[in-house]
Amino acid sequence: MNTNIDDLPNDSSQDEIWYCTQNNKEVLVEVKSVNNWQEVIEKDSWQCVQELVSVPDNMPQFSCENDGDQINLITLTWLKGEQAKTQMKSWIDAFQKQDMICTTDETNPFWQ
């Protein structure tokens, strides 16, 4: 797998992948047709850079989508750090207030 983001084709129909950190916390954000997702994620001192990272299986994640012109699809995967559920639910609430429909993987014990 090529991990140099500069070597990937610039195709707007593909997801963009962002690696975001805040102190000892890490998340991976995959977005498609995005304008305002960073306002939601980065408002609490999260720093995001476009970067590919390996994601272990069964990590907690959620996805939100809509048919509007702001955000079409976002998937967020929690990679490391405490208070994952609290932070992720806060982001879910923020995206739902933007008329997005969010889903979680109910087969992952994290969400049960």
Side-chain angles (χ1 to χ4, degrees), residues 37-99:
W37 72 270
Q38 287 171 303
E39 294 170 15
V40 173
I41 304 296
E42 291 183 333
K43 75 175 185 176
D44 295 322
S45 301
W46 284 84
Q47 301 295 315
C48 299
V49 295
Q50 227 173 343
E51 182 178 335
L52 297 176
V53 296
S54 296
V55 178
D57 291 336
N58 298 320
M59 298 304 291
Q61 70 178 197
F62 70 85
S63 295
C64 301
E65 61 183 310
N66 71 7
D67 294 327
D69 59 0
Q70 293 284 330
I71 302 174
N72 285 333
L73 178 63
I74 183 167
T75 300
L76 194 139
T77 305
W78 192 271
L79 301 176
K80 178 183 168 187
E82 297 178 1
Q83 300 178 328
K85 191 177 271 189
T86 301
Q87 180 65 72
M88 292 177 81
K89 284 185 174 186
S90 172
W91 287 332
I92 288 171
D93 289 344
F95 288 122
Q96 287 177 330
K97 287 177 183 171
Q98 298 177 14
D99 296 324

